[in-house]
Amino acid sequence: MQQQIIISNDIEHDLATAVAESEHDRVFVLTDDTTHECCLPKVAALLAQYDAVPITIAHGDQHKTLAALGDVWTALQQGGATRHSLLINLGGGMITDLGGFAAATFKRGINFINIPTTLLAMVDAAVGGKTGINFGGLKNEVGAFADARFVIINTCFLDTLDAENLCSGYAEMLKHSLISDERMWAEHVNFDLSQPDLTELQRMVAESIAVKERIVAEDPHEHGIRKALNFGHTIGHALEEFALQQATPGNRPLLHGYAVAFGLIGELYMSARKAGFPTERLHQTARFIRENYAQTEFTCNDYPTLLNLMRHDKKNTSGVINFTLLHNIGDIRINQTATNEEICEALDFIREGY
């Protein structure tokens, strides 16, 4: 059954509609400890009508693990879930990824609804059917394609979000505009991220989701054009995983969207060098990112580690690092390769801007 996306102006009404249209002998709601406190109250009265069983796990991508997945399976089992039960995932990308994978695998698959509460999850993780967990030090290493029955998008949850997490999600929106439409790109690089208009942002979110929906519908299992959605992510995931390896207890790891933002700079540089992407648009996009995102920290001594992390990317074949590049905004070149020297030049450009 095709996933339905609801751009919501009334979260209680739209959630009630989604539950009514989803098979459910029992209802469960998965949150992390942050969304349990900040976001669950917005729908708690409605969920009480279904006697929804709460499941809460620790927040943060470092907890998107096999152990946390096992905790969700255990909670479903002990709560009496059957193949006809419904799981509502209320949270950011970690919750929709892990909760979707738990639902896809419990009893060989139960219905689930995603209610993303971060901008990143709204425009990326909660839409498109990718679910999974991190494993063996690698991001999203184990997972499955499984569509939520409904995805409900309501920017009312963004008032609980700090500025860094808002910027993190916006990087994925910027990526969608780069692979799609010059008008959208121009709007995105001129948007005031420091004082965002949430009403305007909801319209922009809907447009961004439509880009992803169109690409996923054309290539649901990432055999071809869906690889466009990985633009910025080959370098970005390596930066994210590197930062996670370097993080010390108590320090906040590099947010996904920040890693993607600098991955966009690197892969736009490669696009300009290898695919003819206009340098003016490269510098305008890079300038917007540098003005709104704190610089990611790595040195040239870290390049061998970053290259090794890129070799583990799921898009690669036979150990060759695979990139999506652009000839122009919306003009996509999938399955591109680069030498180590070219990748290191892109890393130089991320660090130094030349």
Side-chain angles (χ1 to χ4, degrees), residues 193-241:
L193 265 180
S194 63
Q195 294 182 306
D197 180 331
L198 292 185
T199 301
E200 186 70 4
L201 189 60
Q202 175 133 330
R203 177 190 61 78
M204 294 166 67
V205 166
E207 287 186 347
S208 190
I209 290 170
V211 171
K212 183 168 185 178
E213 278 191 289
R214 172 176 53 79
I215 292 173
V216 170
E218 187 175 341
D219 179 22
H221 295 131
E222 202 172 42
H223 298 306
I225 192 60
R226 183 166 177 164
K227 293 177 183 178
L229 295 172
N230 290 305
F231 183 59
H233 283 61
T234 300
I235 293 176
H237 275 161
L239 292 173
E240 184 177 9
E241 289 162 5

Side-chain angles (χ1 to χ4, degrees), residues 3-64:
Q3 179 181 91
Q4 294 187 46
I5 297 174
I6 300 174
I7 305 300
S8 169
N9 292 309
D10 184 336
I11 185 62
E12 287 197 340
H13 173 270
D14 293 325
L15 178 55
T17 299
V19 173
E21 294 185 19
S22 303
E23 184 179 31
H24 62 280
D25 57 0
R26 300 214 68 182
V27 176
F28 296 77
V29 56
L30 175 65
T31 60
D32 63 34
D33 45 23
T34 299
T35 55
H36 181 87
E37 178 181 348
C38 298
C39 301
L40 187 59
K42 294 180 183 288
V43 291
L46 175 66
L47 291 175
Q49 298 178 25
Y50 302 104
D51 295 322
V53 178
I55 305 172
T56 304
I57 60 177
H59 72 277
D61 203 67
Q62 67 272 28
H63 296 294
K64 197 167 78 173

